[in-house]
Structure formats: C-alpha cells, structure tokens
Amino acid sequence: MSPHRALTLASSVVGAVIVALDGTVLTVAQPTLQRDLGASFAQVQWTSTGYLIAVAGLLVFSGRLGDRYGHQRVFALGMLGFGVTSAGIGLAPGIGWLIGLRVVQGVFGALLQPATLGMLRAAFPPDRLRMPIAVRTSAIGLAAAAGPVLGGALVSGPGWRAVFFVNVVPALAFGLLALTVRGPRAAPSPARLDVPGALLLAVTLACLVQSLVALPDSGWTAASAVGLALVVITGVAFVRHERRTASPLVPRDVVGSVAVGSALAILVAASAALNGTLFVATFLLQDTLGVDPLHMALLSLPLAALMILAAPGCAVLLRRAGARRTTVTAMAVLAAGILVLGRASGSVAFCTGFALLGAGFGTVMVTATHVVVRQAAAESAGVAGGLQQTAMNVGPVLGVAAATTLMGLGHGHGLPLFVLATVAVVGAVAGRALPKRSSATINHGQQGDRARIPARP
C-alpha cells in the first residue's frame, strides 16, 4: 500500500472512530454532567438530540461539498472544527453553552463523516475498496465497545469534561495533516451546489429525527403529528425540486441506481433492527430479569466482538460470494439473533443472541457500504457517503421509536422483537436487488474511474 493510501485509510478510520467514541462516551457522562451543571433531564437529552439533528440534516449536502471542493479539504475542516468544539464543550460554563456547542459540533461532524468514505473512493481503485471499508467498520465496532469503558474511567477519574477533551488531539492532528499533505484525488464535480434542495432535505431530515427522538418520552402527541406532517410536505417538495432542477443535490446516477437504493434501505433496516433490539433487550434484562448493568454489559460483549471479527471476514465473502448472497445471509443471521434474544432465558442463550446480532450487522454494514461507495461514480462519492451516513443515523432513531411504541401496547418484549426480526427479514428481501458478483457487476461500464483515480500516487 502506498504512503498516500495508508494515510487516507488512517484518516478515514480515525475520523469514523472519533465520531463513534463521541456518542458512546457521552451517554456514560450524561448523569454526572446533569448533576454538575444542575440541568434538567430534557436539557441533557438535547446534548444528544441537537447534535443528531445537525448531523442528519447536513450529511448529504456536506458530501456534495466534498465532491465539489475535494473530500480531503472538507475532511480537514470537519476534523479541525470537531476538535475545537470538543475543547469548547469541555470548558462550557453551563448547559446552554454545552447544547449550543454540541449543535455546532454536529455541523462539523456532518462535514467529516461523508468525507471519510469519499476519500477512500478517491484513493483506492474500485476493486480494492473491500478491505479499507472492512477495516473502517471493525474500528467503529471497537470504538463502540470501548466507548462505555473509556467513558466510565474518565468520568470516575478526571470528570465528565475529560470525555470531550479526549477527541481534541487526534482531531486537530489529522485535520492539520489533511491540510498539509496533498495527494491525487478524483476530478471535482462541475455541477453547481443545489442550495434550495439542501435546505429542503435538511428540514425534512431534521423534523423526522426530532419527531422520532421525542417519541419515546412524550409518545404520540399533536406536536409529533405536526412534525411528521411537515416531514411529508417538505419531503414531497424536495422530490419535486430534484426532478426539475438542472443540478440536483442527489445526482440522478445515484438516486436512479437500484443497487444503491437497495443498499441504503438495507442499512436503514439493519440499524433499526439492531438498535431497536438493544433498546428492548435493556428493559428485558434489567427490568424484567433483574440483571444489573455490569452483568448486562458482559452478556452483550459478543455483539461487539463478532462485529469486529465479521468485518474483515466480510471482505473475503464479498470477493467469493458477491454482495447479494452475503447480504441476504447476514440479514437472516441478524433476524435469527433477534429471535434468539426473544426466547433467551440463560447467559448462554443471551450471549448467542448478541453474537448473532454482531456477526449479522457487522457483515451487512461492510457489504452495503461497499455497494453504495463503489457503485457511485467517483465524482458523486461524497453524496453517496452522505446518504450512507444518513441511513446509519436515521435507522437507529427509527428502530428505537418503533420499539418504544410497540412496548407501550402492553405486549411485553415479544411483539417488539418479532416486528424487529421481521424488519431484518424485509432487509434480506431487499438484498436480492444487490449485484450477484460485485467484481462483475458493480461499476460495469465505469472503467473510466480507474483512469480518473491513479493506481499510484
């Protein structure tokens, strides 16, 4: 691997890990943060909600900025801004400052996330994308597993402010590297920026996320109905605008790709099923079975372990079996894990269920992401990365909202887990639209990509 590709892969991994760590360690720090700042529960929730809304609304537009001005530049801006705002949050004098800075941090997070995939698409030939994406996925799984442990150690030691300082040095270091180190990249997209489309999509996604996040606490209210109605109105307006404009935010070669659309639907289904299941399992283990949080963390360790191990193994499966068979099988494994958890009564059964969840989700994440990034033309890689990240942000919120609603019907954990397993099965059906053999069908007729992306820097 050339030095430029190695640095690109390292930057992509570090950027993804920083974002993954930020969310997991914050969850651990929130109770202490609330007591220290004298904040209400609703205010503390907005430290997560404000960030999530900013990220979800801007991911696709940020990806388009990368296509237009270069993914490495956008990544540098995102990393530097993320590091500076992390330091600001650690020094915040009150909860109001903290919430505001978290929203700003979400803007920079939206800039860097699509760029982590766009840079890979620009640096690696299409037939060598499998392993970089697998490494990135394994690192995300490792960060998700280590986050609670790291967060607990920091909160118990230096305090909750240290949780935010931990991101500062790597974010600033890799942001400065991205500014100073230059390498080959795909030719920038000549299309103009579709600002009206970006605004419509941002409002649609922000309203959707806000409505779904508020659902577990307040249930179905007039406000949630208005929010979802606004989602429909702005969503329809966005689609009409995209069809009429000469330079759409989402290029027609991306939105018109059956493979990309199916892969995005699979990512939404898989992340919704996984996160909804984890939400239900938490109540099942702690409230129904009386398992303490530490014991539950130990029971769920196989999830993180199998997710980390499945990612590199998936790179081999993609090459030998193709995207379709790999994804369909992995979604079936994910569904089986949910059903096992629904019937589990002992430690072995719970560990087995969590292991199946990790193996299935880790494989799906690599396969579907590989299809999205590789199928898109190099000049639309940022938009493709933004769509992938949007799916990975909307899916968990949708899954938790569905689980909360179903649990509120009074049927215990059985009905929610059955429905979530069904969602995974639907995702498996969607997987049949993916290419049979990725090496033969993905990027068919796009050999020009190799000409635009040099094999060597």
Side-chain angles (χ1 to χ4, degrees), residues 5 11 13 25 37 41 44 48 74 91 110 137 172-173 175 184 269 291 298 337 366 382 412-413 417 425 431-432 440:
R5 287 180 184 162
S11 298
V13 168
V25 298
L37 297 180
F41 180 75
V44 172
S48 296
V74 175
L91 299 171
T137 302
L172 295 181
V291 174
L298 294 175
V366 174
H413 66 273
L417 291 179
V425 172
R432 293 185 59 80

Side-chain angles (χ1 to χ4, degrees), residues 415-454:
L415 178 62
L417 291 179
F418 175 78
V419 171
L420 292 167
T422 303
V423 170
V425 172
V426 171
V429 174
R432 293 185 59 80
L434 298 180
K436 290 182 180 180
R437 302 285 298 184
S438 57
S439 60
T441 57
I442 295 179
N443 272 9
H444 180 67
Q446 297 182 17
Q447 289 86 351
D449 284 344
R450 297 196 183 191
R452 291 193 297 269
I453 306 173

Side-chain angles (χ1 to χ4, degrees), residues 139-155:
I140 292 173
L142 182 60
V149 178
L150 177 62
L154 291 173
V155 172

Side-chain angles (χ1 to χ4, degrees), residues 8 18 78 90 138 179 190 205 329 337 342 388 406 409 413 436 438 450:
T8 299
I18 283 177
S138 291
L179 282 180
L205 292 173
T329 302
Q388 189 270 353
L406 293 169
L409 297 177
H413 66 273
K436 290 182 180 180
S438 57
R450 297 196 183 191

Side-chain angles (χ1 to χ4, degrees), residues 108-364:
F108 288 111
L111 287 172
L112 75 89
Q113 289 185 57
T116 61
L117 290 171
M119 290 191 305
L120 291 181
R121 179 66 175 86
F124 289 85
D127 59 345
R128 296 186 182 180
L129 276 170
R130 289 183 293 265
M131 189 53 71
I133 291 176
V135 171
R136 181 179 179 275
T137 302
S138 291
I140 292 173
L142 182 60
V149 178
L150 177 62
L154 291 173
V155 172
S156 301
W160 66 266
R161 295 180 185 274
V163 166
F164 297 99
F165 289 131
V166 74
N167 288 327
V168 174
V169 173
L172 295 181
F174 276 86
L176 290 173
L177 269 176
L179 282 180
T180 56
V181 178
R182 291 297 177 194
R185 63 180 178 88
S189 171
R192 292 182 299 175
L193 294 177
D194 179 17
V195 177
L199 290 174
L200 286 170
L201 182 60
V203 172
T204 302
L205 292 173
C207 290
L208 176 62
V209 170
Q210 165 57 19
S211 299
L212 293 177
V213 168
L215 194 60
D217 295 324
S218 57
W220 290 102
T221 62
S224 61
V226 171
L228 292 178
L230 188 58
V231 170
V232 174
I233 294 171
T234 55
V236 170
F238 171 72
V239 172
R240 286 173 59 87
H241 170 78
E242 289 292 286
R243 287 179 174 177
R244 295 178 177 181
T245 185
S247 300
L249 175 66
V250 182
R252 291 178 177 86
D253 65 320
V254 175
V255 74
S257 170
V258 175
V260 171
S262 299
L264 292 173
I266 290 164
L267 286 171
V268 172
S271 57
L274 174 69
N275 287 271
T277 299
L278 294 179
F279 182 83
V280 176
T282 299
F283 284 92
L284 169 62
L285 285 167
Q286 295 189 21
D287 291 357
T288 305
L289 300 179
V291 174
D292 62 80
L294 177 59
H295 189 193
M296 179 184 168
L298 294 175
L299 289 176
S300 63
L301 275 179
L303 189 156
L306 266 294
M307 181 177 170
I308 295 168
L309 294 174
C314 178
V316 178
L317 289 175
L318 266 174
R319 186 174 64 252
R320 295 183 177 179
R324 180 183 299 181
R325 284 192 287 177
T326 301
T327 302
V328 171
T329 302
M331 290 298 287
V333 170
L334 180 62
I338 298 172
L339 294 176
V340 168
L341 288 176
R343 294 180 173 274
S345 58
S347 297
V348 174
F350 277 111
C351 287
T352 301
F354 282 121
L356 291 172
L357 286 183
F361 184 75
T363 302
V364 168

Side-chain angles (χ1 to χ4, degrees), residues 45-131:
Q45 285 295 98
W46 266 99
T47 62
S48 296
T49 302
Y51 174 89
L52 184 58
I53 290 174
V55 168
L58 295 174
L59 281 168
V60 177
F61 184 63
S62 298
R64 197 57 168 160
L65 288 175
D67 291 333
R68 182 69 185 273
Y69 300 108
H71 301 297
Q72 194 165 313
R73 291 180 183 176
V74 175
F75 173 81
L77 178 60
M79 288 290 273
L80 292 174
F82 201 91
V84 171
T85 51
S86 293
I89 293 168
L91 299 171
I95 189 64
W97 278 95
L98 200 152
I99 293 172
L101 286 169
R102 280 286 289 171
V103 173
V104 176
Q105 188 182 44
V107 173
F108 288 111
L111 287 172
L112 75 89
Q113 289 185 57
T116 61
L117 290 171
M119 290 191 305
L120 291 181
R121 179 66 175 86
F124 289 85
D127 59 345
R128 296 186 182 180
L129 276 170
R130 289 183 293 265
M131 189 53 71

